[in-house]
Amino acid sequence: MAFRLELREKTPIWFNIVLPLSAVMATLLLCSGLVALAGANVFHAYSELFLSAVSSRFNLVETFVKAAPLIFTGLAVAVAFRAKFWNIGAEGQLLAGAMAAAYIGGIESLPSFSLVPLMIIASALAGAGWAMLPAILRTRFKVDDVVTTLLLNFVMFYVMTALLDGPWKDPLSGYPDSPDIRMDAEFPILLHATRLHLGVMLSLLAAPMVWWFIRRTTLGFSISVVGENPSASAYAGISITRILIYTALISGSLAGLAGAGEVGGLHFQVMSGISPGYGYTGIVIAMLARLNPIGVVLAALFFAVVVTGAEAMSRATGVPVYLADVIQGTALVTMLIAQLFTTYRIRTLTTQG
Amino acid sequence: MSNPDYLLSMQGICKSFGAIQANNNVDLNLSEGDILGLLGENGAGKTTLMNILFGTYQADEGKIMIQGRQITIHSTADALGFGIGMVHQHFHLVHRHTVLENLLVGEPGRRGRLDFSGARRRLLEIGDQFGLTLNPDARVSELTIGEQQRLEIIKALFGDSKILILDEPTAVLTPNESTGLFEALRALAEGGLGIIFISHKLHEVRNVTNRVLVMRAGSVSALVEDTKEVTESDLARLMCGHELNPPKKNTSKLGDTFLSLSAIKTGGSTPQKLKGINLSVQGGEILGIAGVSGNGQKELADVIAGVLSHTEGTIEVKGEIISKASPRLMQKLKIGRIPEDRMTTGLVTSLPLYVSMVLPWIRRSIFSRFGILRKNEILSFTSKMIKRFTIQATGPEVKTGTLSGGNLQKVLLARELAFEPEVLLASQPTRGLDVAAAEFVHRQFLSLREKGAAIILISEDLEELFALSDRIVVMYEGRIAGETKINDASVEDIGLLMAGATFGA
Amino acid sequence: MEEIISQIFQVGFFAAIIRIATPFVFATIGELFAERSGVLNLGIEGIMMFGAMTGFSTAYFTSSLWLGILAAMLTGMLMAALMGFLTVSLGLSQHVSGIGITMLSTGFAFFFYRLIFGQPSTLPNIKAFTPVGIPVLKDIPWIGPVLFEQTTLTYLAFAVVPLAAFLLYKTPWGLNLRTVGENPHAADSAGVSVSAMRYQGLIISGALMGIAGAFLVMVQFNAFTFGVISGRGWICIALVVFGQWGPWKSAAGALLFAMIDALQLRLQASSIIDLPYQVFLMMPFVLTIVTMMLVSRNARAPSALLIPFRKEER
């Protein structure tokens, strides 16, 4: 029995939910094998993984706190991928944003009321600037953006650790981290007795804004078309270079904002471990969300749950905490495969002779 | 004792793609020494049938027999094994590799190594036997189109083909090169091969084939056992089901010069670069640009479209000199442009129809204001265009790629004509379209001409150019080889210019 | 200044270059096979990581380094086959599939290492490969110790380059592979199976990348750490571009790169230049970007690179 792929006429809307859901289900199914291999009861492990996030009011709020940087990086990648600007560098852009925010937050001479807004603006600008570099390399020098954005992550990481080890080292701490930002630079807490900070709200606001931007603005339209067919776009008068640069700026700023949130709302300083791969997780989130900003929020929450829950699961069952990394990689692969169903329909053929 | 079995016999072939029945109970027989013409319009099913023979597709029903033995062809490798060779319309060559390297693909080596010397020998043999010669060490990128096609034929012979299929082989040749090809084909047929010659060009089919199988809409419309017994009109009728009915052209009043190119040159090192083009077109006329593809037409179109910058010379639009052309500028100057390649440069196949429809106009105030899209206007505009141009689409939101070729061309036309261009540049506008769709396009051009616009029509189809143009200009190797008014033009003269001769030579 | 030069440019320095270059040569030639067939294999970083882990674990428990190499090869081939399934059989985006394979492979490496070794207080290590001198050749002044007192794996790397060149340019298999990468339709209409060739190119790439990873944990270091690859895979992607997709030039690029890397290590150690060590760690990546910037404009990649092959769509 042979298969043939046939182009679909329209992609049904419910696909946006069913497809990621099936990818997630498939992922959990596949990874259950690893759990069993680790000698744990799958049911027990998964319930620890997922339920710890909702086990208390504090934990539930914490999930949103953990999701905030993921929402931003997911949005950053989603916007970039729409234009087929393969921004694997959200990680480095986040670090740039974090450093910019921490720097502003430490300036003594700035008036109190200006600190938080300036931190936010600075982080966006820093992230945008760091994303400009690979965009220019691509448009002017034809260098593949996957490789450059990736390599720049390493560069930014080393820049950061060099600073943290040297001129920006907090003399009071034994670890390589920066001095704390000013007290009045800390993001306001929105919910009493939790860590729900301003950054979380910003991330939740950013998602619908990005959605509106993509669907309702000329620039959003251009970004989508450039990604789908650059030569038709160029022929029709759209400047590919300009659109790619704008895309990089927007994508980079979103990733930079992730950094601002972590610095201003959570850690109040920069340390070398400030991002355990949020930029990379953002890629998986964007793909699971099918580049849809609202889907990004849901996928980000999913991963926030998984990442936090992995610790609890590991403590309770002995399954290595890195199950979360495997889940991440598997989710990306299964989602890629699931995507096929949107473009094509499977037709079974019976062939004779 | 003569062998009563045919060299090749296809019986009862059926093949569908979804709802479309590409082949409906088709029979085809071929003997040694035959040159069988396979004639039909685009979409008649000829290429599908040959792809089944060559193993690219599998038939849904029917059987194939070689020398009386029934065989099954599951893949191209099978087909090659049975002695079936195919020369495709779009050559399957590696430009970076040499002639020998292209010939040796898929061949087993000698003791694990590539057998270059053996290949050289065979190449010489084929040259002696059939007159098909090539420099074995030349890179394909250095060969002319005619030579590249020769390489494709030699490739088929390398594989010991007994049955040779040629798919629209003269589409890329000058009239002179075509004659050379026909001579080679006759030599091959005399050598015992059976040749299937796919074409939609009536005079060629009459010229070189001895039998003709005419297909229409997936079925066999007629089998002509002796080509000499039919006329071109007979064949046309069998092919289209009706007489050719080109739209009538009136004499029109000429307006101002809307566009003129002086001494335009482009850069780069390809043989197709423009080497000094002087061209102008006035309102109310259709300027036809003839020439075998690959002689600079695409560059010319790209310069006018604003996609390619000229290195020397000037472009004037309505008297104003353009210093730096860009697609946006040309659009602003009311120059409509229909690109040669619908799917890649024209439309966005994976996005909804309205995206393709308004793509060049997205910044106009009717469609967006302060950077925000006006969705309702966009959708209603698209629906209007669908109706005006009778585009077969269920609505403005269907994916562009689901439309058929003819309808896709209508979309391109619709969007360029929507805002009343003063100049329309159309590159190969009816390529791949069936007769009805092509006639629709021609009618649009003529009505635009009557409204006073200038049209530049670049086409490989001489019949089309002769039917529509007021003047014809021929391009050869990046230059204008000659220009005539339509009343003074003849196909032979144009053909000569296309091949590089100069008037009066 | 002279002192510094003589201090650095000793025999040991050049021997180190050869050693440092070895994993790059393996991985770059591997990537070359994949890309010549038309597939960009961005799983390289993860495959090297996973190969390193399985190689190390196998060597640790079986006390056989060569079994470890075998395990690394098989691991690489497995992940590369998965990459083939995604990009060749399913025709998915090579860019994103590659990132996915890297993430998956890395995840596996971390997970299984933790599962197998737990969190011990001292880093598990193995007895690394020791250099094996080639008799007679090793006694040649200066060249001897540099080239012929290396580990067996390095000698294999020496051999892989001419072998790759021979395979690609002198055999039918190589011609078919290159044709698939330039114009798959040409190969297809000659009866060559495009997907079979691409799978083969990928599986070879996986094997070589696995070996590269294993080299790092069995020669350069003698333990597995999560940072053992640290971006070397990505640098190999650039080396293929630098080498214009040819085996000799890519190997030359690897040597050049290794020389700069070795130089940077010496400078760091001798504290001649007083810069934070991170600057030195950063240099390979900056250099790679600059190289790509200078080379990419004129790069002549295989024409069918990144384009999935679909028969019925022409």
Side-chain angles (χ1 to χ4, degrees):
Chain A
M1 202 165 57
F3 290 98
R4 225 195 29 179
L5 299 177
E6 209 178 70
L7 266 167
R8 273 189 190 277
E9 208 182 70
K10 255 203 275 196
T11 311
I13 306 244
W14 50 264
F15 257 38
N16 284 324
I17 305 196
V18 168
L19 239 39
L21 225 59
S22 346
V24 167
M25 289 292 124
T27 302
L28 294 177
L29 195 65
L30 290 167
C31 291
S32 64
L34 289 180
V35 174
L37 207 62
N41 175 288
V42 175
F43 204 61
H44 183 204
Y46 276 161
S47 50
E48 283 292 325
L49 186 66
F50 290 106
L51 295 181
S52 54
V54 298
S55 57
S56 72
R57 179 178 174 269
F58 181 79
N59 279 351
L60 191 55
V61 175
E62 266 298 290
T63 305
F64 278 91
V65 173
K66 287 269 161 61
L70 294 175
I71 293 175
F72 273 125
T73 55
L75 289 173
V77 175
V79 170
F81 277 21
R82 262 185 194 261
K84 296 229 170 46
F85 175 59
W86 304 112
N87 185 9
I88 316 293
E91 185 82 358
Q93 290 142 27
L94 185 161
L95 296 180
M99 289 201 284
Y103 179 72
I104 299 283
I107 299 181
E108 289 298 330
S109 47
L110 288 172
S112 290
F113 68 88
S114 70
L115 281 171
V116 170
L118 281 177
M119 282 165 74
I120 292 175
I121 295 173
S123 69
L125 288 176
W130 198 237
M132 271 285 277
L133 200 50
I136 294 177
L137 285 173
R138 172 168 157 181
T139 51
R140 290 207 66 204
F141 297 96
K142 303 215 186 300
V143 185
D144 187 282
D145 39 3
V146 175
V147 183
T148 46
T149 50
L150 199 35
L151 293 174
L152 287 172
N153 286 343
F154 286 90
V155 174
M156 182 52 81
F157 178 77
Y158 288 130
V159 166
M160 185 180 76
T161 48
L163 289 171
L164 292 179
D165 255 348
W168 212 10
K169 188 168 158 56
D170 183 357
L172 302 171
S173 123
Y175 298 107
D177 46 29
S178 73
D180 286 354
I181 54 179
R182 289 163 53 177
M183 288 275 298
D184 36 9
E186 294 179 15
F187 283 8
I189 298 286
L190 303 171
L191 199 57
H192 179 61
T194 66
R195 299 205 293 173
L196 191 74
H197 59 87
L198 181 67
V200 181
M201 190 183 84
L202 286 178
S203 70
L204 291 171
L205 282 178
M209 279 173 70
V210 171
W211 183 91
W212 177 86
F213 168 76
I214 296 281
R215 303 228 23 205
R216 289 284 138 123
T217 64
T218 335
L219 183 55
F221 176 90
S222 305
I223 288 179
S224 303
V225 203
V226 163
E228 288 294 329
N229 191 338
S231 50
S233 309
Y235 198 88
I238 298 180
S239 162
I240 308 273
T241 304
R242 249 189 334 136
I243 297 298
L244 281 177
I245 301 283
Y246 284 145
T247 307
L249 290 174
I250 295 172
S251 178
S253 2
L254 286 166
L257 287 172
E262 294 301 282
V263 165
L266 213 53
H267 303 291
F268 313 121
Q269 60 173 179
V270 181
M271 17 17 129
S272 61
I274 192 166
S275 172
Y278 290 142
Y280 299 111
T281 313
I283 297 172
V284 188
I285 290 173
M287 293 298 296
L288 271 181
R290 305 194 59 227
L291 306 187
N292 183 309
I294 307 301
V296 163
V297 176
L298 297 172
L301 283 169
F302 171 74
F303 275 101
V305 166
V306 167
V307 166
T308 341
E311 287 279 344
M313 176 202 69
S314 180
R315 275 194 301 268
T317 62
V319 177
V321 68
Y322 299 108
L323 186 71
D325 298 73
V326 181
I327 289 181
Q328 188 172 284
T330 314
L332 184 53
V333 172
T334 48
M335 190 56 202
L336 269 178
I337 298 178
Q339 281 274 70
L340 266 184
F341 289 97
T342 58
T343 332
Y344 294 100
R345 224 198 305 250
I346 293 192
R347 276 279 139 95
T348 52
L349 302 168
T350 42
T351 46
Q352 306 163 349
Chain B
M1 193 170 74
S2 65
N3 189 342
D5 291 325
Y6 287 109
L7 172 60
L8 168 71
S9 177
M10 300 174 83
Q11 295 170 11
I13 302 288
C14 297
K15 174 77 181 171
S16 322
F17 293 109
I20 304 172
Q21 180 135 48
N23 286 153
N24 190 353
N25 213 10
V26 177
D27 290 339
L28 181 149
N29 295 315
L30 186 73
S31 309
E32 285 182 24
D34 263 353
I35 301 182
L36 172 71
L38 186 51
L39 186 67
E41 282 292 296
N42 287 302
K46 344 182 267 297
T47 310
T48 306
L49 186 67
M50 289 301 103
N51 275 321
I52 290 175
L53 185 58
F54 196 54
T56 317
Y57 304 151
Q58 269 79 60
D60 299 332
E61 279 174 54
K63 54 184 183 172
I64 303 176
M65 311 212 287
I66 297 212
Q67 309 273 175
R69 241 180 62 231
Q70 180 167 0
I71 57 163
T72 44
I73 303 176
H74 288 299
S75 68
T76 310
D78 284 350
L80 290 168
F82 288 123
I84 302 170
M86 183 156 171
V87 176
H88 296 83
Q89 215 173 59
H90 305 285
F91 300 152
H92 289 173
L93 299 171
V94 179
H95 287 249
R96 241 178 241 165
H97 290 177
T98 62
V99 165
L100 279 185
E101 284 177 315
N102 273 277
L103 288 172
L104 284 172
V105 180
E107 297 272 323
R110 214 159 48 121
R111 282 183 285 153
R113 302 178 67 128
L114 287 171
D115 188 8
F116 282 115
S117 45
R120 265 179 225 279
R121 228 179 318 117
R122 290 201 63 201
L123 188 58
L124 281 174
E125 282 169 16
I126 290 177
D128 287 336
Q129 200 181 358
F130 300 112
L132 299 164
T133 52
L134 279 178
N135 173 4
D137 299 302
R139 285 195 193 279
V140 172
S141 50
E142 297 163 6
L143 300 176
T144 67
I145 303 280
E147 287 172 328
Q148 288 179 17
Q149 191 183 65
R150 205 183 307 157
L151 176 55
E152 284 276 6
I153 297 178
I154 297 177
K155 248 177 41 173
L157 296 174
F158 246 62
D160 284 321
S161 299
K162 292 286 177 317
I163 299 164
L164 187 61
I165 311 168
L166 294 123
D167 193 356
E168 309 274 4
T170 57
V172 294
L173 301 178
T174 63
N176 227 14
E177 285 175 326
S178 296
T179 316
L181 172 67
F182 296 157
E183 278 170 23
L185 290 181
R186 287 191 197 100
L188 290 171
E190 268 167 51
L193 269 68
I195 299 178
I196 302 178
F197 185 87
I198 305 175
S199 181
H200 66 275
K201 294 191 182 168
L202 305 173
H203 60 278
E204 285 179 2
V205 169
R206 282 212 72 231
N207 193 330
V208 74
T209 66
N210 62 309
R211 296 166 62 223
V212 184
L213 185 72
V214 186
M215 286 187 71
R216 182 149 58 91
S219 308
V220 173
S221 146
L223 173 61
V224 177
E225 284 295 347
D226 188 347
T227 314
K228 289 200 262 301
E229 290 178 5
V230 286
T231 64
E232 279 185 43
S233 328
D234 294 332
L235 288 175
R237 215 178 328 113
L238 290 167
M239 199 168 72
C240 315
H242 60 87
E243 292 287 341
L244 287 176
N245 236 340
K248 281 277 187 275
K249 201 173 77 188
N250 312 326
T251 45
S252 72
K253 225 173 52 161
L254 288 181
D256 301 324
T257 302
F258 279 162
L259 176 69
S260 89
L261 275 63
S262 318
I264 292 290
K265 293 196 185 152
T266 55
S269 53
T270 62
Q272 305 163 19
K273 70 173 182 204
L274 301 179
K275 301 188 181 88
I277 300 279
N278 293 308
L279 197 71
S280 68
V281 66
Q282 296 172 273
E285 76 168 332
I286 295 182
L287 174 67
I289 302 189
V292 172
S293 119
N295 276 292
Q297 295 93 319
K298 185 160 188 310
E299 281 64 25
L300 179 62
D302 283 346
V303 166
I304 298 176
V307 181
L308 179 62
S309 309
H310 55 280
T311 51
E312 275 179 57
T314 43
I315 304 178
E316 269 182 55
V317 178
K318 295 220 276 227
E320 261 188 65
I321 297 186
I322 311 290
S323 45
K324 191 167 173 353
S326 72
R328 272 232 258 164
L329 181 60
M330 295 328 228
Q331 278 169 347
K332 263 216 310 236
L333 293 169
K334 295 191 143 277
I335 298 178
R337 305 144 318 127
I338 299 179
E340 187 176 320
D341 208 331
R342 282 192 273 280
M343 307 281 255
T344 45
T345 325
L347 307 158
V348 189
T349 47
S350 50
L351 290 183
L353 188 56
Y354 67 82
V355 173
S356 298
M357 190 66 85
V358 302
L359 187 57
W361 313 118
I362 197 66
R363 274 210 172 70
R364 290 181 84 102
S365 55
I366 174 179
F367 295 133
S368 76
R369 217 174 11 172
F370 304 122
I372 302 183
L373 296 174
R374 300 176 70 183
K375 209 62 176 298
N376 292 328
E377 272 77 5
I378 293 176
L379 289 173
S380 71
F381 169 80
T382 309
S383 304
K384 245 194 324 179
M385 289 296 128
I386 291 177
K387 259 185 46 199
R388 175 135 74 108
F389 287 83
T390 56
I391 300 174
Q392 274 165 337
T394 38
E397 312 215 45
V398 297
K399 248 192 244 189
T400 310
T402 56
L403 270 57
S404 73
N407 286 304
L408 290 174
Q409 198 68 11
K410 284 186 184 179
V411 173
L412 280 179
L413 254 185
R415 92 171 180 202
E416 294 304 319
L417 295 182
F419 293 98
E420 322 238 305
E422 288 170 349
V423 180
L424 180 68
L425 168 72
S427 267
Q428 317 295 350
T430 57
R431 187 190 269 167
L433 297 188
D434 61 55
V435 178
E439 280 183 9
F440 181 90
V441 173
H442 291 169
R443 257 175 299 190
Q444 294 296 319
F445 286 164
L446 288 175
S447 97
L448 190 64
R449 169 180 173 271
E450 268 174 49
K451 292 206 195 110
I455 300 177
I456 302 175
L457 174 63
I458 302 179
S459 175
E460 290 168 353
D461 188 342
L462 279 181
E463 284 179 38
E464 178 176 54
L465 287 173
F466 270 83
L468 294 177
S469 317
D470 295 298
R471 277 187 301 141
I472 294 187
V473 139
V474 181
M475 285 204 70
Y476 182 72
E477 287 191 347
R479 288 200 179 80
I480 306 268
E483 177 180 330
T484 44
K485 288 206 168 48
I486 191 63
N487 295 329
D488 304 329
S490 74
V491 180
E492 290 100 69
D493 289 342
I494 300 289
L496 286 170
L497 289 174
M498 282 164 66
T502 41
F503 254 141
Chain C
M1 192 55 183
E2 288 159 21
E3 219 181 85
I4 297 165
I5 295 183
S6 63
Q7 198 180 55
I8 292 181
F9 291 99
Q10 288 173 336
V11 162
F13 174 71
F14 290 99
I17 292 178
I18 303 288
R19 193 178 57 243
I20 292 174
T22 304
F24 286 105
V25 169
F26 276 122
T28 305
I29 298 288
E31 179 69 31
L32 189 68
F33 274 105
E35 293 196 22
R36 282 317 282 254
S37 81
V39 182
L40 176 69
N41 187 357
L42 287 176
I44 183 172
E45 179 87 356
I47 292 177
M48 285 173 75
M49 175 81 78
F50 198 13
M53 191 236 105
T54 51
F56 175 80
S57 315
T58 309
Y60 185 87
F61 288 111
T62 65
S63 301
S64 162
L65 290 171
W66 286 106
L67 270 182
I69 298 287
L70 186 65
M73 266 178 72
L74 291 174
T75 312
M77 288 161 78
L78 186 67
M79 296 315 286
L82 181 57
M83 176 73 178
F85 176 65
L86 296 176
T87 53
V88 179
S89 301
L90 296 182
L92 300 169
S93 156
Q94 292 181 7
H95 280 125
V96 191
S97 300
I99 299 288
I101 295 291
T102 283
M103 281 189 174
L104 192 59
S105 309
T106 309
F108 281 145
F110 291 359
F111 181 88
F112 283 119
Y113 184 82
R114 179 56 64 86
L115 192 63
I116 295 173
F117 292 98
Q119 283 174 297
S121 45
T122 51
L123 193 62
N125 55 42
I126 51 174
K127 192 161 168 308
F129 273 105
T130 47
V132 174
I134 297 188
V136 176
L137 288 172
K138 73 175 183 189
D139 294 319
I140 303 176
W142 201 83
I143 297 187
V146 169
L147 289 178
F148 300 115
E149 292 225 34
Q150 298 282 355
T151 57
T152 320
L153 278 179
T154 302
Y155 299 138
L156 270 174
F158 284 173
V160 157
V161 182
L163 189 63
F166 175 76
L167 271 175
L168 279 176
Y169 298 117
K170 293 277 195 292
T171 64
W173 181 89
L175 178 63
N176 292 347
L177 188 85
R178 287 185 292 131
T179 304
V180 164
E182 295 288 339
N183 186 348
H185 291 285
D188 182 57
S189 56
V192 173
S193 162
V194 174
S195 31
M197 299 299 330
R198 286 186 168 167
Y199 264 104
Q200 287 169 30
L202 275 172
I203 290 179
I204 293 177
S205 80
L208 290 172
M209 289 168 188
I211 296 179
F215 180 90
L216 285 167
V217 293
M218 291 184 200
V219 177
Q220 204 142 323
F221 312 106
N222 62 349
F224 175 83
T225 55
F226 286 5
V228 71
I229 311 294
S230 276
R232 283 178 177 80
W234 309 125
I235 292 172
C236 289
I237 302 278
L239 288 176
V240 173
V241 179
F242 177 83
Q244 298 276 43
W245 287 271
W248 292 107
K249 287 203 194 139
S250 303
L255 274 176
L256 199 64
F257 187 84
M259 186 171 86
I260 297 174
D261 208 19
L263 192 62
Q264 160 270 96
L265 281 170
R266 298 282 150 144
L267 284 175
Q268 230 188 87
S270 62
S271 42
I272 296 168
I273 303 176
D274 191 21
L275 282 173
Y277 73 92
Q278 287 96 347
V279 174
F280 292 106
L281 286 178
M282 212 193 297
M283 270 185 359
F285 301 100
V286 176
L287 231 63
T288 304
I289 294 176
V290 172
T291 307
M292 291 190 82
M293 197 169 93
L294 296 172
V295 171
S296 286
R297 258 263 180 79
N298 301 318
R300 299 180 343 153
S303 308
L305 188 63
L306 289 176
I307 305 173
F309 174 64
R310 289 202 184 96
K311 253 207 233 266
E312 296 182 7
E313 291 168 23
R314 227 159 335 130

